[in-house]
Amino acid sequence: MGEHSSSADTPLWAVVELDQFRTPEQTQASQWRRSLRSISSWLGGKNDAEQQVKDESELRALPGVRLAHLVPSIDWAPAARALGQQLEGQDAPVTFFITTPYSGHASVVTHWAEKHHVACLAPPTLSEIAEVALSG
């Protein structure tokens, strides 16, 4: 029987050189979402999707304190520890993290940096990027 890697063998982080970076064609999470969406629409039709939108709008209307009890904030410590293990032994004076938007990576890096007393630079705003692009 052939061996295949388990999730325990797969690292959470991979630090790569910029010229080696490639975005994934399809992430596992996006494949699950597509599968779930197609199954739910097949089983329930559009009513389920309409109900989901209604439920989300009701959640957004809740006060922040009530919402925090229903959906607690994410504990980034385990991911920050995994990042620290990946970065251990690197002697690069500066490391840039280029990640997908809304993935939580910024929170993980910030959490790690606070624990290790490392300075994090704020990413440029869209207007700052546009100004540089227009002036160049």
Side-chain angles (χ1 to χ4, degrees):
M1 232 186 247
E3 290 184 26
H4 53 84
S5 65
S6 68
S7 60
D9 297 337
T10 306
L12 295 174
W13 297 92
V15 178
V16 296
E17 298 292 328
L18 184 59
D19 61 345
Q20 300 296 316
F21 176 75
R22 302 287 181 268
T23 57
E25 293 290 323
Q26 294 179 338
T27 64
Q28 186 176 12
S30 66
Q31 289 174 342
W32 277 104
R33 279 193 298 272
R34 277 192 298 279
S35 298
L36 185 60
R37 196 169 33 243
S38 66
I39 290 170
S40 64
S41 65
W42 179 71
L43 291 174
K46 291 189 176 184
N47 292 337
D48 285 343
E50 291 171 3
Q51 183 62 39
Q52 182 179 0
V53 170
K54 180 182 175 193
D55 293 344
E56 183 179 344
S57 65
E58 289 173 1
L59 281 175
R60 290 187 185 274
L62 290 173
V65 174
R66 177 78 175 122
L67 189 58
H69 286 294
L70 293 173
V71 185
S73 59
I74 297 171
D75 178 16
W76 296 111
R81 279 193 299 277
L83 175 61
Q85 290 171 350
Q86 181 67 36
L87 294 176
E88 203 169 278
Q90 286 194 354
D91 58 354
V94 176
T95 302
F96 292 95
F97 291 96
I98 303 170
T99 63
T100 55
Y102 307 106
S103 61
H105 293 127
S107 299
V108 172
V109 171
T110 302
H111 187 82
W112 174 85
E114 288 172 357
K115 293 289 183 193
H116 291 85
H117 307 291
V118 173
C120 271
L121 300 175
T125 64
L126 291 176
S127 61
E128 290 171 336
I129 293 171
E131 287 174 14
V132 170
L134 292 175
S135 67

